[in-house]
Amino acid sequence: MSTTPLRVGVVALCAALLALVALPAFAQEAPDALVKRVSQEALDIIKTDARVKAGDKAHIRELIKAKIAPHFDMQRMTALAVGRAWRQATPEQKQRLSDEFESLLIRTYSNALDQYRDQQLDYKPLRVQPDSNEVTVRTEVVRPGQQPVSIDYSMEKTPAGWKAYDVIVGGVSLVTNYRDEFAQQVSQGGIDSLIKALAAKNAAPTQ
């Protein structure tokens, strides 16, 4: 299954994914402050971690998995990607889909991580009502000699703090980008077929 249409966005998103980790001190942190903090922390990791700089894919995947779990609503992201077929899935199938989709994203981001070192992020002012439970945090990736790329984070307020459930790169949703191919897989063989296809993708040797 292809993951190339959002190549630039994948590179940009790596930074946020690497550092999105919830600590008690930041439990009430505003969503825009959260994105800014964790993105800057991620840049430091990319630039200073010797194993990341050496391209250790297993180490990179471990870092991403450890950091993204607290702050990304993977079940909601998976539901958006699967679309209407999500309602047909059993609780066990939903969990397996979420696990495999998370692994797919982690593999994709780890492969693109080393391209992020020279990028910078510009953070836009947050426009939101005080009582809002969902917000969009807008940023831009500034690339030397090229047009900036917009990276917008759709976030929801949960009892555990703010969590991202989608990323819109240059106007294209990360999760809904997968919807057509997921729907095609489900139409050909059902939910289990999609689970098997994702598991096969994740079991394939990394490039």
Side-chain angles (χ1 to χ4, degrees):
M1 286 183 282
S2 173
T3 56
T4 58
L6 298 181
R7 181 68 176 177
V8 173
V10 164
V11 174
L13 183 57
C14 285
L17 291 178
L18 263 181
L20 284 176
V21 56
L23 297 174
F26 295 107
Q28 302 303 317
E29 191 172 17
D32 56 336
L34 173 65
V35 169
K36 183 174 183 178
R37 174 179 63 82
V38 298
S39 297
Q40 295 303 317
E41 290 175 358
L43 284 174
D44 290 340
I45 292 174
I46 293 169
K47 293 177 180 179
T48 62
D49 190 299
R51 293 175 67 182
V52 171
K53 293 167 69 175
D56 185 335
K57 289 298 196 309
H59 176 63
I60 293 170
R61 289 195 296 272
E62 289 171 3
L63 281 175
I64 295 174
K65 185 172 179 62
K67 302 297 185 179
I68 69 172
H71 274 283
F72 275 78
D73 187 341
M74 286 307 307
Q75 187 161 95
R76 184 170 179 182
M77 292 178 75
T78 308
L80 288 170
V82 174
R84 289 181 297 178
W86 179 258
R87 295 193 295 269
Q88 306 168 14
T90 66
E92 180 183 359
Q93 288 173 323
K94 288 178 179 178
Q95 186 60 57
R96 293 185 64 192
L97 282 169
S98 297
D99 292 344
E100 294 296 346
F101 190 47
E102 178 179 327
S103 295
L104 176 65
L105 295 178
I106 290 173
R107 285 169 60 94
T108 301
Y109 304 147
S110 66
N111 289 337
L113 185 62
D114 60 352
Q115 301 181 37
Y116 192 78
R117 292 191 181 95
D118 297 327
Q119 311 294 331
Q120 294 183 339
L121 285 174
D122 180 26
Y123 306 94
K124 305 301 181 183
L126 181 65
R127 296 181 175 87
V128 61
Q129 297 297 321
D131 59 347
S132 294
N133 291 322
E134 296 202 4
V135 301
T136 300
V137 177
R138 305 183 187 281
T139 72
E140 281 188 343
V141 178
V142 181
R143 303 175 296 164
Q146 302 180 60
Q147 290 292 319
V149 177
S150 64
I151 309 289
D152 299 336
Y153 299 84
S154 298
M155 305 185 73
E156 62 178 342
K157 189 175 185 179
T158 76
W162 287 93
K163 292 191 177 186
Y165 62 88
D166 196 8
V167 182
I168 297 87
V169 181
V172 180
S173 163
L174 174 71
V175 294
T176 57
N177 182 62
Y178 289 91
R179 187 170 292 167
D180 287 345
E181 62 180 276
F182 284 8
Q184 181 179 10
Q185 189 71 50
V186 171
S187 68
Q188 292 174 349
I191 295 293
D192 285 337
S193 175
L194 175 58
I195 294 172
K196 290 179 181 178
L198 289 171
K201 181 74 173 177
N202 290 326
T206 56
Q207 299 298 318

